[in-house]
Amino acid sequence: MKKSKWIAMLVGGAMICSLAACGGQSSSAPASTAAPTEKTADTTAAEAGDTTEAADAAAEDKGEGKGYVIGFSNSYNGNTYRQAMEGYLKEAAEEFQKTGEVSEVIFAESNQNNSTQVQQIENFILQGVDAIIIDPGSATALNGAIQEASDAGIPCIIINDGPVSSEAELCYQINFDTIAQMGYLTEYVCEAIGGKGNIIELRGTAGSEFDNIAHEGVLKVLEKYPDIKVVAEIYTDWTGSKAQSELASVLPTLDKVDGVVTQGGDSYAAVQAFQSAGLDLPIIGGDNRGYFLKWWANEAPEGYDTVSVSSNPWDGATGLYVAVDILDGMDVPKEMIHPFGIVTKDEVKDYADVADEAICCPTFDRDWVRENLYK
């Protein structure tokens, strides 16, 4: 489906809240995402070894036709988006476990350490898992491990923070049209401030491919607005606490700020930072988080004009659906585009009571994946 059709569909339809909010075709929100977990590179490196015992036990129980063992390597799960993504994956795993198609999904998290993530993928290979789902911390650093998996006959399904540059035969990628996503948000902010003025760009994690592509989407739009100046670029790791502290340091050094472009997880923090500094609120692009949507619906100045856009954490479930279809021998394309979600000023009233940690995006089902992503 073409990008413009996705945008029209998502703008026109009601959004569906994930995490602790309401679900779409899923009957319940993933309970596993309720509380964040904190890990360090050291502990996750230990976990990479600890997963061997779990995989061996799962493999012993697997037996003929008992279901697949799937590894999931997440480069980071320290924000609500990643926790929602893991929650949806776990929810899909429970669905497959009931049917016997999957016996075990083994989770590993590398805390933004590419070497640790490589080690985790290699451990999954040694454990003999059937497929590996990967949210990559780098576009290139994992290529060797992905090639090793492919050579061992293990498909790797890239989700969320791709693409990766791997050319491995069994590397499959489910990506967002990040340039379109960030272009849509940036264009809206630029138009809302009248095509001229100062803006701040809140970025994600330095070096991640999603951040690189998102930044490219911002720059492409700004080429059309020579009278708009980016007065600060701030890396937030897509977390509100870092965004707020970084903004608190930067705002006193800046003249008037007219707009803020965000990637996700930091929009409400931007609101708080401007309010704490006693400054006029600029046009802040939203990120579909409950904190921001509730503020916009209930507390923002009357007529506050913005838009809210986010990647969709349901791609965690998508990755598992795709992995099982690949293992079942279904013809699956090597590259797939997952739709993102949009909330407009005409729709925000529908989110006045969402959960604080909610991420309001559409959820789908297995049939939707096959009908829409395999084309």
Side-chain angles (χ1 to χ4, degrees):
M1 186 177 293
K2 293 183 178 179
K3 170 179 65 183
S4 58
K5 188 172 180 182
W6 279 124
I7 293 175
M9 178 184 75
L10 291 171
V11 171
M15 308 304 295
I16 303 170
C17 295
S18 68
L19 201 58
C22 50
Q25 295 182 27
S26 300
S27 60
S28 61
S32 59
T33 61
T37 57
E38 296 183 2
K39 300 180 183 179
T40 65
D42 290 338
T43 58
T44 50
E47 276 185 357
D50 291 343
T51 54
T52 304
E53 184 177 346
D56 290 344
E60 288 177 8
D61 292 341
K62 180 179 169 183
E64 185 69 21
K66 294 270 187 182
Y68 302 117
V69 177
I70 311 292
F72 175 51
S73 175
N74 193 354
S75 63
Y76 183 61
N77 72 354
N79 59 43
T80 56
Y81 180 94
R82 294 295 187 93
Q83 292 152 19
M85 182 181 70
E86 286 193 357
Y88 280 126
L89 199 162
K90 290 175 182 176
E91 201 172 67
E94 291 172 0
E95 172 189 333
F96 279 126
Q97 286 168 335
K98 290 177 181 177
T99 64
E101 293 169 271
V102 170
S103 63
E104 181 83 11
V105 176
I106 307 167
F107 288 76
E109 189 256 338
S110 63
N111 198 33
Q112 301 179 348
N113 186 311
N114 292 328
S115 296
T116 299
Q117 190 165 30
V118 167
Q119 180 185 0
Q120 290 169 344
I121 294 169
E122 291 175 341
N123 281 341
F124 282 142
I125 297 168
L126 291 173
Q127 293 158 21
V129 301
D130 295 293
I132 306 171
I133 301 168
I134 302 170
D135 188 334
S138 166
T140 58
L142 309 183
N143 285 355
I146 293 170
Q147 185 65 56
E148 287 180 42
S150 181
D151 292 344
I154 302 172
C156 291
I157 298 86
I158 309 302
I159 64 170
N160 198 57
D161 274 321
V164 297
S165 58
S166 171
E167 297 181 358
E169 182 181 358
L170 296 182
C171 180
Y172 299 81
Q173 307 209 47
I174 308 168
N175 298 312
F176 296 105
D177 190 339
T178 306
I179 289 180
Q181 175 182 324
M182 292 306 301
Y184 182 91
L185 181 71
T186 304
E187 181 108 35
Y188 195 100
V189 171
C190 289
E191 288 295 313
I193 66 175
K196 60 182 179 180
N198 296 331
I199 68 170
I200 293 174
E201 181 185 1
L202 297 184
R203 301 185 60 172
T205 296
S208 75
E209 191 64 6
F210 182 92
D211 175 77
N212 292 336
I213 298 174
H215 180 58
E216 182 182 349
V218 173
L219 294 181
K220 281 182 177 292
V221 169
L222 291 179
E223 290 175 359
K224 301 188 295 182
Y225 297 92
D227 294 327
I228 291 179
K229 180 181 179 182
V230 178
V231 292
E233 287 182 23
I234 299 172
Y235 289 97
T236 73
D237 292 335
W238 303 292
T239 59
S241 58
K242 185 172 181 179
Q244 194 167 355
S245 63
E246 293 289 334
L247 281 167
S249 298
V250 171
L251 289 180
T253 70
L254 302 176
D255 293 330
K256 185 176 185 294
V257 176
D258 302 289
V260 179
V261 173
T262 73
Q263 292 182 15
D266 44 24
S267 293
Y268 183 59
V271 172
Q272 292 176 303
F274 277 89
Q275 290 176 333
S276 296
L279 300 173
D280 292 338
L281 276 175
I283 302 301
I284 299 172
D287 54 10
N288 288 0
R289 271 54 169 186
Y291 285 112
F292 181 83
L293 294 178
K294 287 174 67 173
W295 169 82
W296 185 14
N298 298 309
E299 302 175 36
E302 186 174 355
Y304 188 78
D305 184 9
T306 190
V307 72
S308 187
V309 179
S310 174
S311 302
N312 191 339
W314 194 80
D315 65 344
T318 305
L320 188 58
Y321 290 139
V322 169
V324 171
D325 281 347
I326 292 169
L327 294 171
D328 283 347
M330 187 172 289
D331 186 16
V332 174
K334 289 294 187 69
E335 296 184 2
M336 295 157 270
I337 299 297
H338 202 291
F340 53 89
I342 300 169
V343 176
T344 69
K345 60 185 177 182
D346 295 327
E347 298 166 338
V348 69
K349 62 183 181 298
D350 298 331
Y351 304 97
D353 299 317
V354 299
D356 289 340
E357 301 287 352
I359 299 171
C360 297
C361 284
T363 60
F364 306 101
D365 60 19
R366 193 178 190 183
D367 289 338
W368 178 92
V369 170
R370 291 171 170 173
E371 291 168 7
N372 293 279
L373 298 191
Y374 296 177
K375 296 180 180 180

